[in-house]
Amino acid sequence: MYIKLILKLLSLFDYVNKIKVINFFKKKIKKNLEVFIDVGAHNGETIRIFNKYFDIKKFYAFEASPINFEVLRKKIKKSSYPIVEIFNFALGQKQEILYLNQFKESQSSTFLPFNENSKYLKRKRIILSPYSKNFFLKKNKIQIKRLDNFLDHKELKL
């Protein structure tokens, strides 16, 4: 239970950053959007926040992690969001297969090499380690696709 509380607190810090992003976009774009593309949709936090502040007709959400994708799928299914299509692959510069380092604290998952000595992971380990001995879960083989190919397939022009 304590670990869930810690993860909620970490999400709260992330939420503060998302509000800064929302304020930036409020100044730069109009309130009505035809399409919103969420790359690295995680558990749908950005979809929820942007849906609250903007009138968006269609969301396309991409989440590479199979674990996070399943959480996202369940949340979207229960939600009252406008039309949201979700995809379980990553977007990148070229079509390829990469390995995603999946962590228990799923917001830390990354395609970058796993560096146990990074300051970021050391801080998280200090917070989480008394309650979670294994920080790293596994490597997941992930398909990477190009956004331009996806847009062509959907016949979207940006």
Side-chain angles (χ1 to χ4, degrees):
M1 171 142 146
Y2 179 76
I3 194 86
K4 286 185 180 182
L5 177 63
I6 293 294
L7 293 174
K8 288 285 185 188
L9 288 172
L10 290 172
S11 292
L12 180 63
F13 293 123
D14 190 42
Y15 182 80
V16 171
N17 281 333
K18 287 191 187 315
I19 293 302
K20 289 178 185 176
V21 170
I22 288 292
N23 289 333
F24 170 82
F25 279 106
K26 280 182 173 180
K27 293 176 187 173
K28 300 289 182 184
I29 61 174
K30 58 187 176 184
K31 187 166 174 55
N32 300 328
L33 296 171
E34 290 293 317
V35 173
F36 184 91
I37 297 173
D38 186 0
V39 179
H42 191 248
N43 295 336
E45 301 91 342
T46 302
I47 294 169
R48 181 176 42 81
I49 292 170
F50 272 76
N51 187 54
K52 180 178 177 180
Y53 292 98
F54 297 95
D55 179 22
I56 301 170
K57 291 185 182 174
K58 179 81 170 188
F59 284 91
Y60 292 105
F62 301 88
E63 177 49 52
S65 162
I67 295 167
N68 298 346
F69 181 81
E70 188 57 28
V71 173
L72 175 64
R73 187 187 65 74
K74 288 176 182 175
K75 285 187 176 186
I76 294 300
K77 189 175 181 180
K78 290 193 297 186
S79 77
S80 61
Y81 299 138
I83 297 172
V84 178
E85 283 188 51
I86 60 174
F87 301 90
N88 190 203
F89 58 83
L91 294 175
Q93 290 183 332
K94 61 183 179 177
Q95 295 202 173
E96 62 184 328
I97 301 292
L98 292 177
Y99 288 88
L100 177 73
N101 292 305
Q102 179 76 49
F103 293 90
K104 274 189 178 177
E105 192 283 299
S106 61
Q107 292 178 358
S108 298
S109 298
T110 180
F111 285 105
L112 297 175
F114 178 49
N115 179 1
E116 288 191 57
N117 296 317
S118 76
K119 290 179 184 179
Y120 177 75
L121 285 180
K122 282 182 180 180
R123 276 184 265 150
K124 284 205 171 182
R125 185 169 279 128
I126 288 169
I127 294 168
L128 299 173
S129 67
Y131 305 96
S132 179
K133 298 294 180 211
N134 189 10
F135 209 54
F136 178 74
L137 279 179
K138 62 181 174 178
K139 284 186 177 282
N140 289 307
K141 192 175 185 178
I142 303 295
Q143 184 178 19
I144 313 297
K145 296 185 179 184
R146 290 176 49 91
L147 178 60
D148 59 346
N149 292 343
F150 174 82
L151 296 173
D152 289 346
H153 176 73
K154 291 289 185 178
E155 298 179 356
L156 293 170
K157 302 253 189 271
L158 296 182

